[in-house]
Amino acid sequence: MNILIKPIITEKATKDAEDRNVFGFVVNPKANKVEIKKAVEAAYGVSVEKVRTMNVRPDRKTRYTKTGVQTGKTNAYKKAIVQVAEGDTIDFYSNI
């Protein structure tokens, strides 16, 4: 089971990474905090202090068109917020 799907790179996540040493990841919905901690430590070589998770609900949208009402939704996913130890950092932009 692949635990880490992709890092979250937004303005808010980048600011948290610079100021508080906190990084965000989209993770497998079945993964728990212990598995996420081990996966981040193995993939990036840092020591993780704290892991917080949340399930993000799908956004539902409705459009009214000539052919009728079109409904849709985005995918639900699980997000992990990882606090790494002081002095450690994760560089998402390095080409390794």
Side-chain angles (χ1 to χ4, degrees):
M1 176 169 68
N2 193 6
I3 306 293
L4 300 177
I5 297 173
K6 65 180 181 178
I8 298 173
I9 301 175
T10 59
E11 288 184 29
K12 183 177 181 180
T14 305
K15 186 173 182 339
D16 284 343
E18 292 170 355
D19 296 343
R20 299 179 14 220
N21 228 16
V22 173
F23 300 91
F25 294 93
V26 176
V27 296
N28 189 321
K30 295 183 179 181
N32 61 32
K33 293 182 180 185
V34 176
E35 293 171 339
I36 294 168
K37 179 179 178 178
K38 289 179 183 176
V40 171
E41 288 176 345
Y44 295 103
V46 296
S47 58
V48 175
E49 290 181 349
K50 186 190 291 189
V51 177
R52 291 173 292 170
T53 61
M54 62 192 84
N55 289 311
V56 180
R57 64 176 169 76
D59 290 332
R60 299 185 187 279
K61 296 181 181 180
T62 304
R63 288 186 304 185
Y64 300 97
T65 63
K66 286 190 278 186
T67 59
V69 178
Q70 302 289 322
T71 60
K73 68 178 185 67
T74 60
N75 293 331
Y77 61 95
K78 187 170 192 176
K79 185 177 2 180
I81 307 299
V82 176
Q83 168 115 29
V84 299
E86 193 70 35
D88 287 346
T89 187
I90 298 174
D91 186 16
F92 293 132
Y93 301 109
S94 65
N95 294 329
I96 295 175

